[in-house]
Coordinates of all heavy atoms in Angstrom, one line a residue:
A202 N 36.8 32.0 -0.3 CA 37.2 33.1 0.5 C 36.8 32.8 2.0 O 35.8 32.2 2.2 CB 36.6 34.4 0.0
K203 N 37.6 33.3 2.9 CA 37.3 33.1 4.3 C 36.1 34.1 4.6 O 35.9 35.1 3.9 CB 38.5 33.5 5.1 CG 39.6 32.6 5.1 CD 40.7 33.0 6.1 CE 42.0 32.7 5.6 NZ 43.0 33.6 6.0
L204 N 35.4 33.7 5.6 CA 34.2 34.5 6.0 C 34.6 36.0 6.2 O 33.9 36.9 5.8 CB 33.6 33.9 7.3 CG 32.3 34.6 7.7 CD1 31.2 34.5 6.7 CD2 31.8 34.0 9.0
S205 N 35.8 36.2 6.9 CA 36.2 37.6 7.2 C 36.5 38.4 6.0 O 36.6 39.6 6.1 CB 37.4 37.5 8.2 OG 38.5 36.9 7.5
E206 N 36.8 37.7 4.9 CA 37.1 38.5 3.6 C 35.9 38.8 2.8 O 36.0 39.5 1.8 CB 38.1 37.7 2.8 CG 39.5 37.5 3.6 CD 40.4 36.6 2.8 OE1 40.0 36.0 1.8 OE2 41.6 36.5 3.3
E207 N 34.8 38.2 3.1 CA 33.6 38.4 2.3 C 33.0 39.8 2.6 O 33.0 40.2 3.7 CB 32.5 37.3 2.6 CG 32.9 36.0 2.1 CD 31.9 34.9 2.4 OE1 30.8 35.3 2.8 OE2 32.2 33.7 2.3
L208 N 32.5 40.4 1.5 CA 31.9 41.7 1.7 C 30.4 41.5 1.9 O 29.8 40.6 1.4 CB 32.1 42.6 0.4 CG 33.5 43.0 0.2 CD1 33.6 43.8 -1.1 CD2 34.0 43.9 1.4
P209 N 29.8 42.4 2.7 CA 28.3 42.3 2.9 C 27.6 42.6 1.6 O 28.1 43.3 0.7 CB 28.0 43.5 3.9 CG 29.3 44.1 4.3 CD 30.4 43.5 3.4
S210 N 26.4 41.9 1.4 CA 25.7 42.1 0.2 C 24.7 43.3 0.3 O 24.2 43.7 -0.8 CB 24.9 40.8 -0.1 OG 24.0 40.5 1.0
A211 N 24.5 43.8 1.5 CA 23.5 44.9 1.6 C 24.0 45.8 2.7 O 24.8 45.4 3.6 CB 22.1 44.3 1.9
F212 N 23.4 47.0 2.8 CA 23.6 47.9 3.9 C 22.7 47.5 5.0 O 21.5 47.5 4.9 CB 23.2 49.3 3.3 CG 23.3 50.4 4.3 CD1 24.6 50.8 4.9 CD2 22.2 51.2 4.7 CE1 24.7 51.8 5.8 CE2 22.3 52.2 5.6 CZ 23.6 52.5 6.1
R213 N 23.3 47.1 6.2 CA 22.6 46.7 7.3 C 23.1 47.4 8.6 O 24.2 47.7 8.7 CB 22.7 45.2 7.5 CG 22.0 44.4 6.5 CD 21.9 42.9 6.9 NE 21.4 42.1 5.8 CZ 22.2 41.5 4.9 NH1 23.5 41.5 5.0 NH2 21.6 40.8 4.0
V214 N 22.2 47.6 9.5 CA 22.5 48.3 10.8 C 21.8 47.6 11.9 O 20.7 47.1 11.8 CB 21.9 49.8 10.7 CG1 22.0 50.5 12.0 CG2 22.5 50.6 9.6
S215 N 22.6 47.5 13.1 CA 22.0 46.9 14.3 C 22.8 47.4 15.5 O 23.9 48.0 15.3 CB 22.1 45.4 14.2 OG 23.4 45.0 14.1
N216 N 22.3 47.2 16.7 CA 23.0 47.5 17.9 C 22.6 46.5 19.0 O 21.6 45.9 19.0 CB 22.8 49.0 18.3 CG 21.5 49.2 19.0 OD1 20.5 49.1 18.3 ND2 21.5 49.5 20.3
Y217 N 23.6 46.3 19.9 CA 23.4 45.5 21.1 C 24.3 46.0 22.2 O 25.4 46.3 21.9 CB 23.8 44.0 20.7 CG 23.5 43.0 21.8 CD1 22.2 42.5 22.0 CD2 24.5 42.7 22.7 CE1 22.0 41.7 23.0 CE2 24.3 41.9 23.8 CZ 23.0 41.3 23.9 OH 22.8 40.5 25.0
P218 N 23.8 46.0 23.4 CA 22.5 45.7 23.9 C 21.5 46.9 23.7 O 22.0 48.0 23.5 CB 22.7 45.4 25.4 CG 23.9 46.3 25.8 CD 24.7 46.3 24.5
N219 N 20.3 46.6 23.9 CA 19.2 47.6 23.8 C 18.0 47.1 24.6 O 17.5 46.0 24.1 CB 18.9 47.9 22.4 CG 18.1 49.2 22.2 OD1 17.9 50.0 23.2 ND2 17.6 49.5 21.1
P220 N 17.6 47.6 25.7 CA 18.0 48.9 26.3 C 19.4 48.9 26.8 O 20.0 47.8 27.0 CB 17.0 49.0 27.5 CG 15.9 48.0 27.3 CD 16.5 47.0 26.4
V221 N 19.9 50.1 27.0 CA 21.3 50.2 27.4 C 21.4 51.1 28.6 O 20.7 52.1 28.7 CB 22.1 50.8 26.2 CG1 21.6 52.1 25.7 CG2 23.6 51.0 26.5
S222 N 22.4 50.8 29.5 CA 22.6 51.6 30.7 C 24.0 52.4 30.5 O 24.1 53.5 30.9 CB 22.5 50.9 32.0 OG 23.5 49.8 31.9
S223 N 25.0 51.7 30.0 CA 26.3 52.3 29.9 C 26.8 52.5 28.5 O 27.2 53.6 28.1 CB 27.3 51.6 30.8 OG 27.4 50.2 30.3
S224 N 26.8 51.4 27.7 CA 27.3 51.5 26.3 C 26.6 50.5 25.5 O 26.3 49.4 25.9 CB 28.8 51.3 26.4 OG 29.4 51.4 25.1
T225 N 26.5 50.8 24.2 CA 25.9 49.9 23.2 C 26.8 49.9 22.0 O 27.4 51.0 21.6 CB 24.4 50.2 22.9 OG1 24.0 49.1 22.0 CG2 24.3 51.5 22.1
R226 N 27.0 48.8 21.3 CA 27.8 48.7 20.1 C 26.9 48.8 18.9 O 25.9 48.0 18.7 CB 28.6 47.4 20.1 CG 29.3 47.2 18.7 CD 30.5 46.5 18.8 NE 31.5 47.2 19.6 CZ 32.6 46.8 20.1 NH1 33.0 45.5 19.8 NH2 33.4 47.5 20.8
I227 N 27.1 49.8 18.1 CA 26.4 50.0 16.8 C 27.2 49.3 15.7 O 28.3 49.7 15.5 CB 26.1 51.5 16.5 CG1 25.2 52.1 17.6 CG2 25.4 51.7 15.2 CD1 25.1 53.6 17.6
Q228 N 26.6 48.4 15.0 CA 27.3 47.7 14.0 C 26.6 48.0 12.6 O 25.4 48.2 12.6 CB 27.2 46.2 14.2 CG 27.9 45.8 15.5 CD 27.6 44.3 15.8 OE1 26.5 43.8 15.8 NE2 28.7 43.6 16.1
F229 N 27.5 48.1 11.6 CA 26.9 48.4 10.3 C 27.7 47.7 9.2 O 28.9 47.6 9.3 CB 26.8 49.9 10.0 CG 28.0 50.8 10.4 CD1 28.9 51.2 9.4 CD2 28.2 51.2 11.7 CE1 30.0 51.9 9.7 CE2 29.3 51.9 12.0 CZ 30.2 52.3 11.0
E230 N 27.0 47.3 8.2 CA 27.7 46.6 7.1 C 27.6 47.5 5.8 O 26.5 47.9 5.5 CB 26.9 45.3 6.8 CG 26.9 44.4 8.0 CD 26.0 43.1 7.8 OE1 25.7 42.8 6.6 OE2 25.7 42.5 8.8
L231 N 28.7 47.7 5.2 CA 28.8 48.5 4.0 C 29.1 47.6 2.8 O 30.1 47.0 2.7 CB 29.9 49.6 4.1 CG 29.8 50.4 5.4 CD1 31.0 51.4 5.4 CD2 28.5 51.2 5.4
P232 N 28.2 47.6 1.8 CA 28.4 46.8 0.6 C 29.5 47.4 -0.3 O 30.1 46.7 -1.1 CB 27.1 46.7 -0.1 CG 26.3 47.9 0.4 CD 26.8 48.2 1.8
I233 N 29.7 48.7 -0.2 CA 30.7 49.4 -1.1 C 31.3 50.5 -0.2 O 30.8 50.9 0.8 CB 30.0 50.1 -2.3 CG1 28.9 51.1 -1.9 CG2 29.5 49.0 -3.3 CD1 28.3 51.8 -3.1
D234 N 32.5 51.0 -0.7 CA 33.2 52.1 -0.1 C 32.3 53.3 -0.1 O 31.6 53.5 -1.1 CB 34.5 52.4 -0.8 CG 35.5 51.2 -0.8 OD1 35.2 50.2 -0.2 OD2 36.6 51.4 -1.4
G235 N 32.5 54.2 0.9 CA 31.7 55.4 0.9 C 31.9 56.3 2.1 O 32.7 55.9 3.0
R236 N 31.3 57.4 2.1 CA 31.3 58.3 3.3 C 30.3 57.9 4.3 O 29.1 57.7 3.9 CB 31.1 59.7 2.8 CG 31.3 60.8 3.9 CD 32.5 61.6 3.7 NE 32.8 62.3 5.0 CZ 33.9 62.5 5.5 NH1 35.0 61.9 5.0 NH2 34.1 63.2 6.6
V237 N 30.6 57.7 5.5 CA 29.7 57.2 6.5 C 29.6 58.2 7.7 O 30.6 58.8 8.1 CB 30.2 55.9 7.1 CG1 29.2 55.4 8.2 CG2 30.2 54.8 6.0
S238 N 28.3 58.4 8.1 CA 28.1 59.2 9.4 C 27.2 58.4 10.3 O 26.3 57.7 9.8 CB 27.6 60.6 9.1 OG 26.2 60.5 8.7
V239 N 27.5 58.4 11.6 CA 26.7 57.8 12.6 C 26.4 58.9 13.6 O 27.3 59.4 14.2 CB 27.4 56.6 13.2 CG1 26.4 56.0 14.3 CG2 27.8 55.5 12.2
K240 N 25.1 59.2 13.7 CA 24.7 60.3 14.6 C 23.6 59.8 15.5 O 22.8 59.0 15.1 CB 24.2 61.5 13.8 CG 25.4 62.1 13.0 CD 24.9 63.4 12.2 CE 26.2 63.9 11.5 NZ 25.9 65.2 10.9
V241 N 23.6 60.4 16.7 CA 22.5 60.1 17.7 C 21.7 61.4 17.9 O 22.2 62.5 18.1 CB 23.2 59.6 19.0 CG1 22.1 59.3 20.0 CG2 24.1 58.4 18.8
H242 N 20.4 61.2 17.9 CA 19.4 62.3 18.1 C 18.5 62.0 19.3 O 18.2 60.8 19.5 CB 18.6 62.5 16.9 CG 19.4 62.9 15.7 ND1 20.0 62.0 14.9 CD2 19.7 64.1 15.2 CE1 20.7 62.7 13.9 NE2 20.5 63.9 14.1
D243 N 18.0 63.0 20.0 CA 17.0 62.8 21.0 C 15.7 62.7 20.3 O 15.5 62.8 19.1 CB 17.1 63.9 22.1 CG 16.8 65.3 21.6 OD1 16.2 65.5 20.5 OD2 17.1 66.3 22.3
V244 N 14.6 62.6 21.1 CA 13.3 62.4 20.6 C 12.7 63.6 19.9 O 11.8 63.6 19.1 CB 12.2 61.9 21.6 CG1 12.5 60.5 22.1 CG2 12.2 62.9 22.8
L245 N 13.3 64.8 20.1 CA 12.9 66.0 19.5 C 13.7 66.2 18.2 O 13.5 67.2 17.5 CB 13.1 67.2 20.4 CG 12.3 67.2 21.7 CD1 12.6 68.4 22.5 CD2 10.8 67.1 21.3
G246 N 14.6 65.3 17.8 CA 15.4 65.4 16.6 C 16.7 66.2 16.7 O 17.4 66.4 15.7
R247 N 17.0 66.6 17.9 CA 18.3 67.3 18.1 C 19.4 66.4 18.1 O 19.4 65.3 18.8 CB 18.3 68.1 19.5 CG 17.2 69.2 19.5 CD 17.2 69.9 20.8 NE 16.8 69.0 21.9 CZ 16.1 69.3 23.0 NH1 15.8 70.5 23.2 NH2 15.8 68.4 23.8
E248 N 20.5 66.7 17.4 CA 21.7 65.9 17.4 C 22.4 66.0 18.7 O 22.7 67.1 19.2 CB 22.6 66.3 16.3 CG 23.8 65.4 16.1 CD 24.7 65.9 14.9 OE1 24.1 66.2 13.9 OE2 25.9 65.9 15.1
V249 N 22.7 64.8 19.4 CA 23.3 64.8 20.7 C 24.7 64.2 20.6 O 25.5 64.4 21.5 CB 22.5 64.1 21.8 CG1 21.2 64.9 22.0 CG2 22.2 62.7 21.4
A250 N 25.0 63.5 19.5 CA 26.4 62.9 19.4 C 26.6 62.6 17.9 O 25.7 62.1 17.2 CB 26.5 61.7 20.2
T251 N 27.9 62.8 17.5 CA 28.4 62.3 16.2 C 29.4 61.2 16.5 O 30.4 61.5 17.1 CB 29.0 63.4 15.3 OG1 27.9 64.3 15.0 CG2 29.5 62.8 14.0
L252 N 29.1 60.0 16.2 CA 30.0 58.9 16.5 C 31.0 58.6 15.4 O 32.1 58.1 15.7 CB 29.2 57.6 16.9 CG 28.2 57.8 18.0 CD1 27.4 56.5 18.1 CD2 28.8 58.3 19.3
V253 N 30.6 58.7 14.2 CA 31.4 58.5 13.0 C 31.1 59.5 11.9 O 30.0 59.9 11.7 CB 31.2 57.1 12.4 CG1 31.9 56.9 11.1 CG2 31.5 56.0 13.4
N254 N 32.2 60.0 11.3 CA 32.0 60.9 10.1 C 33.3 60.8 9.3 O 34.3 61.5 9.5 CB 31.8 62.4 10.6 CG 31.5 63.3 9.4 OD1 31.2 62.8 8.3 ND2 31.6 64.6 9.6
A255 N 33.3 59.7 8.5 CA 34.6 59.4 7.8 C 34.3 58.6 6.5 O 33.3 58.0 6.4 CB 35.5 58.6 8.7
S256 N 35.3 58.6 5.6 CA 35.3 57.7 4.5 C 35.7 56.3 5.0 O 36.6 56.1 5.8 CB 36.3 58.1 3.4 OG 35.8 59.3 2.9
M257 N 34.9 55.3 4.6 CA 35.2 53.9 5.1 C 35.1 52.9 3.9 O 34.4 53.1 2.9 CB 34.1 53.5 6.1 CG 34.1 54.5 7.3 SD 33.0 53.9 8.6 CE 34.2 53.1 9.7
K258 N 35.9 51.9 4.1 CA 35.9 50.8 3.0 C 34.7 49.9 3.2 O 34.1 49.8 4.3 CB 37.2 50.0 3.2 CG 38.4 50.7 2.9 CD 38.6 50.9 1.5 CE 40.0 51.5 1.1 NZ 40.0 52.0 -0.2
A259 N 34.3 49.2 2.2 CA 33.2 48.2 2.3 C 33.6 47.2 3.3 O 34.8 46.8 3.5 CB 33.0 47.5 0.9
G260 N 32.6 46.6 4.0 CA 32.9 45.6 5.0 C 32.1 45.8 6.3 O 31.1 46.5 6.3
F261 N 32.5 45.2 7.4 CA 31.8 45.2 8.6 C 32.5 46.1 9.6 O 33.7 46.1 9.8 CB 31.8 43.8 9.2 CG 31.1 42.8 8.3 CD1 31.8 42.1 7.3 CD2 29.8 42.5 8.4 CE1 31.2 41.2 6.5 CE2 29.1 41.6 7.6 CZ 29.9 40.9 6.6
H262 N 31.7 47.0 10.2 CA 32.2 48.1 11.0 C 31.4 48.2 12.3 O 30.2 47.8 12.3 CB 32.2 49.4 10.3 CG 33.0 49.4 9.1 ND1 34.4 49.7 9.0 CD2 32.7 49.2 7.8 CE1 34.8 49.6 7.8 NE2 33.8 49.3 7.0
S263 N 31.9 48.8 13.3 CA 31.2 49.1 14.5 C 31.7 50.3 15.3 O 32.9 50.7 15.1 CB 31.2 47.8 15.5 OG 32.4 47.6 16.0
T264 N 30.9 50.9 16.1 CA 31.3 52.0 16.9 C 30.5 51.9 18.2 O 29.4 51.3 18.2 CB 31.1 53.4 16.2 OG1 31.6 54.4 17.0 CG2 29.6 53.6 16.0
D265 N 31.0 52.4 19.3 CA 30.3 52.4 20.6 C 29.7 53.7 20.9 O 30.2 54.8 20.7 CB 31.3 52.0 21.7 CG 31.8 50.5 21.6 OD1 31.0 49.7 21.0 OD2 32.9 50.3 22.0
F266 N 28.4 53.6 21.4 CA 27.7 54.8 21.9 C 27.7 54.7 23.4 O 27.2 53.8 24.0 CB 26.3 54.8 21.4 CG 25.4 55.9 22.1 CD1 25.8 57.2 22.0 CD2 24.2 55.5 22.7 CE1 25.0 58.2 22.6 CE2 23.4 56.5 23.2 CZ 23.8 57.8 23.2
K267 N 28.5 55.6 24.1 CA 28.6 55.6 25.5 C 27.3 56.4 26.1 O 27.3 57.6 26.0 CB 29.8 56.3 26.0 CG 31.1 55.7 25.3 CD 31.7 54.7 26.2 CE 33.1 54.2 25.6 NZ 33.0 53.1 24.7
A268 N 26.4 55.7 26.6 CA 25.1 56.3 27.1 C 25.1 56.7 28.5 O 24.2 57.4 28.9 CB 24.0 55.2 26.9
S269 N 26.2 56.5 29.2 CA 26.2 56.8 30.7 C 26.0 58.3 31.0 O 25.5 58.6 32.0 CB 27.4 56.2 31.3 OG 28.6 56.7 30.7
S270 N 26.4 59.1 30.1 CA 26.3 60.6 30.3 C 25.0 61.2 29.8 O 24.8 62.4 29.9 CB 27.5 61.3 29.7 OG 27.5 61.1 28.3
F271 N 24.2 60.3 29.2 CA 22.9 60.8 28.7 C 21.7 60.4 29.7 O 21.8 59.5 30.4 CB 22.6 60.1 27.4 CG 23.5 60.6 26.3 CD1 24.7 60.1 26.1 CD2 23.1 61.7 25.5 CE1 25.6 60.6 25.1 CE2 23.9 62.2 24.5 CZ 25.2 61.6 24.3
Q272 N 20.7 61.3 29.7 CA 19.6 61.1 30.5 C 18.8 59.8 30.0 O 18.8 59.5 28.9 CB 18.6 62.3 30.5 CG 19.2 63.5 31.1 CD 18.2 64.6 31.1 OE1 17.2 64.6 30.4 NE2 18.5 65.7 31.9
Q273 N 18.1 59.2 31.0 CA 17.2 58.1 30.6 C 16.2 58.5 29.6 O 15.7 59.7 29.6 CB 16.5 57.6 31.9 CG 15.6 56.4 31.7 CD 15.1 55.8 33.0 OE1 16.0 55.4 33.8 NE2 13.8 55.8 33.2
G274 N 15.9 57.7 28.7 CA 14.9 58.0 27.7 C 15.2 57.3 26.3 O 16.0 56.5 26.2
M275 N 14.4 57.8 25.3 CA 14.6 57.2 24.0 C 15.4 58.1 23.1 O 15.3 59.3 23.1 CB 13.2 57.0 23.3 CG 13.3 56.2 22.1 SD 11.7 55.8 21.4 CE 10.4 56.2 22.6
Y276 N 16.3 57.5 22.4 CA 17.2 58.2 21.4 C 17.1 57.4 20.1 O 16.6 56.3 20.0 CB 18.6 58.2 21.9 CG 18.8 59.0 23.2 CD1 18.5 58.5 24.4 CD2 19.1 60.4 23.1 CE1 18.7 59.2 25.6 CE2 19.3 61.1 24.3 CZ 19.0 60.5 25.5 OH 19.2 61.3 26.6
Y277 N 17.5 58.0 19.0 CA 17.6 57.4 17.7 C 19.0 57.5 17.2 O 19.6 58.6 17.4 CB 16.6 58.0 16.7 CG 15.2 57.8 17.1 CD1 14.6 58.7 18.0 CD2 14.5 56.7 16.7 CE1 13.3 58.6 18.3 CE2 13.2 56.5 17.1 CZ 12.6 57.4 17.9 OH 11.3 57.3 18.3
Y278 N 19.5 56.5 16.6 CA 20.8 56.7 15.9 C 20.5 56.4 14.4 O 19.7 55.7 14.0 CB 21.9 55.7 16.4 CG 21.7 54.3 16.2 CD1 22.2 53.7 15.0 CD2 21.0 53.5 17.1 CE1 22.0 52.3 14.8 CE2 20.9 52.1 16.9 CZ 21.4 51.5 15.7 OH 21.2 50.2 15.5
T279 N 21.3 57.2 13.6 CA 21.1 57.1 12.1 C 22.5 56.9 11.5 O 23.5 57.6 11.8 CB 20.6 58.5 11.6 OG1 19.3 58.7 12.2 CG2 20.4 58.4 10.1
V280 N 22.5 55.8 10.7 CA 23.7 55.5 9.9 C 23.5 55.9 8.5 O 22.5 55.5 7.9 CB 24.1 54.0 10.0 CG1 25.4 53.7 9.2 CG2 24.3 53.6 11.5
T281 N 24.3 56.8 7.9 CA 24.1 57.3 6.6 C 25.3 56.9 5.7 O 26.5 57.1 6.1 CB 24.0 58.8 6.5 OG1 22.8 59.2 7.3 CG2 23.7 59.3 5.1
L282 N 25.1 56.3 4.6 CA 26.1 55.9 3.6 C 25.9 56.7 2.4 O 24.9 56.7 1.8 CB 26.1 54.4 3.3 CG 27.0 53.9 2.1 CD1 28.4 54.1 2.4 CD2 26.7 52.4 1.9
N283 N 27.0 57.5 2.0 CA 26.9 58.3 0.8 C 28.0 57.7 -0.1 O 29.2 57.9 0.1 CB 27.2 59.7 1.2 CG 27.0 60.7 0.0 OD1 27.1 60.3 -1.2 ND2 26.8 62.0 0.3
A284 N 27.5 57.0 -1.2 CA 28.4 56.3 -2.1 C 27.8 56.1 -3.4 O 26.6 56.0 -3.6 CB 28.8 54.9 -1.5
A285 N 28.6 56.1 -4.5 CA 28.2 55.9 -5.8 C 27.0 56.8 -6.2 O 26.0 56.3 -6.8 CB 27.8 54.4 -6.0
N286 N 27.0 58.1 -5.8 CA 26.0 59.0 -6.1 C 24.6 58.7 -5.5 O 23.6 59.1 -6.0 CB 25.8 59.2 -7.7 CG 27.1 59.8 -8.3 OD1 27.7 60.7 -7.7 ND2 27.5 59.2 -9.4
K287 N 24.6 57.9 -4.4 CA 23.4 57.6 -3.7 C 23.6 57.8 -2.2 O 24.7 57.7 -1.8 CB 23.0 56.1 -3.9 CG 22.5 55.7 -5.3 CD 22.1 54.3 -5.3 CE 21.8 53.8 -6.7 NZ 21.5 52.4 -6.8
V288 N 22.5 58.1 -1.6 CA 22.6 58.2 -0.1 C 21.6 57.3 0.5 O 20.4 57.3 0.1 CB 22.3 59.7 0.3 CG1 22.2 59.8 1.9 CG2 23.3 60.7 -0.2
V289 N 22.1 56.4 1.4 CA 21.2 55.4 2.0 C 21.3 55.7 3.5 O 22.4 55.9 4.1 CB 21.7 54.0 1.8 CG1 20.7 53.0 2.3 CG2 21.9 53.8 0.3
T290 N 20.1 55.7 4.2 CA 20.0 56.0 5.6 C 19.2 54.9 6.3 O 18.2 54.5 5.8 CB 19.4 57.4 5.9 OG1 20.2 58.4 5.2 CG2 19.3 57.7 7.3
E291 N 19.7 54.5 7.5 CA 18.9 53.6 8.4 C 18.9 54.2 9.8 O 20.0 54.6 10.2 CB 19.6 52.2 8.4 CG 19.4 51.4 7.2 CD 18.0 50.7 7.1 OE1 17.3 50.6 8.2 OE2 17.5 50.4 6.0
S292 N 17.8 54.2 10.4 CA 17.6 54.7 11.8 C 17.1 53.6 12.7 O 16.3 52.8 12.2 CB 16.7 55.9 11.8 OG 17.3 57.0 11.1
R293 N 17.5 53.6 13.9 CA 17.1 52.6 14.9 C 16.9 53.4 16.2 O 17.6 54.4 16.5 CB 18.1 51.5 15.1 CG 18.3 50.7 13.8 CD 17.2 49.6 13.6 NE 17.5 48.7 12.5 CZ 17.3 48.9 11.2 NH1 16.8 50.1 10.9 NH2 17.6 48.0 10.3
K294 N 16.1 52.8 17.1 CA 15.8 53.3 18.4 C 16.8 52.8 19.4 O 17.2 51.6 19.3 CB 14.4 52.8 18.8 CG 13.7 53.8 19.7 CD 12.3 53.3 20.1 CE 11.6 52.4 19.1 NZ 10.2 52.2 19.5
I295 N 17.2 53.6 20.3 CA 18.0 53.2 21.5 C 17.3 53.6 22.7 O 16.9 54.8 22.8 CB 19.5 53.8 21.5 CG1 20.3 53.4 20.4 CG2 20.2 53.5 22.8 CD1 21.7 54.0 20.3
I296 N 17.1 52.7 23.7 CA 16.4 53.1 25.0 C 17.5 53.1 26.0 O 18.2 52.1 26.3 CB 15.3 52.1 25.3 CG1 14.2 52.2 24.2 CG2 14.7 52.5 26.7 CD1 13.2 51.2 24.3
V297 N 17.7 54.3 26.7 CA 18.7 54.4 27.7 C 18.0 54.3 29.1 O 17.0 55.0 29.3 CB 19.4 55.8 27.6 CG1 20.4 56.0 28.8 CG2 20.2 55.9 26.3
V298 N 18.5 53.4 29.9 CA 17.9 53.2 31.2 C 19.0 53.4 32.3 O 20.1 53.2 32.0 CB 17.3 51.8 31.4 CG1 16.1 51.6 30.4 CG2 18.3 50.7 31.1
K299 N 18.5 53.9 33.4 CA 19.5 54.2 34.5 C 19.2 53.2 35.7 O 18.2 52.8 35.9 CB 19.4 55.6 35.0 CG 19.8 56.6 33.9 CD 21.2 56.5 33.5 CE 21.6 57.4 32.4 NZ 22.9 57.4 32.0

């Protein structure tokens, strides 16, 4: 199989660049089909953005977080996969600089 046709073996999450001034790309790998949400929270845990909330096929996906309208500081993004009667969540830090 070609590399692009291979499915990820695990649930993985990353983003680049970080720190970010205008936009960062959040990438996530889904080993199976499922419902995915990608949300951004401030340091107090308040949700400040929902970037993805959809059913998605297994494979490699990405979404962009436009940070230019957010204040400088630390944020967290959480990718949640709800599939096969399991919920898997990964969180990572984003540092917004101006």
Side-chain angles (χ1 to χ4, degrees):
K203 289 185 214 151
L204 184 62
S205 62
E206 294 173 356
E207 291 178 12
L208 290 177
S210 59
F212 178 64
R213 289 192 188 95
V214 172
S215 63
N216 75 293
Y217 183 83
N219 194 9
V221 56
S222 59
S223 60
S224 181
T225 186
R226 172 150 296 170
I227 297 170
Q228 299 172 309
F229 47 100
E230 303 174 17
L231 308 177
I233 58 175
D234 298 359
R236 184 108 191 138
V237 177
S238 73
V239 180
K240 296 183 178 189
V241 180
H242 297 85
D243 65 15
V244 291
L245 299 177
R247 293 179 296 213
E248 185 179 317
V249 296
T251 297
L252 306 177
V253 174
N254 187 12
S256 293
M257 302 184 97
K258 297 283 187 196
F261 300 87
H262 302 274
S263 67
T264 187
D265 291 330
F266 171 56
K267 308 265 188 268
S269 54
S270 63
F271 289 86
Q272 292 183 346
Q273 180 168 302
M275 193 175 345
Y276 296 84
Y277 295 90
Y278 68 91
T279 302
V280 181
T281 303
L282 169 62
N283 188 336
N286 298 317
K287 288 184 187 172
V288 177
V289 185
T290 300
E291 284 283 336
S292 294
R293 298 279 188 276
K294 213 182 323 189
I295 296 175
I296 298 170
V297 175
V298 294
K299 297 292 176 182

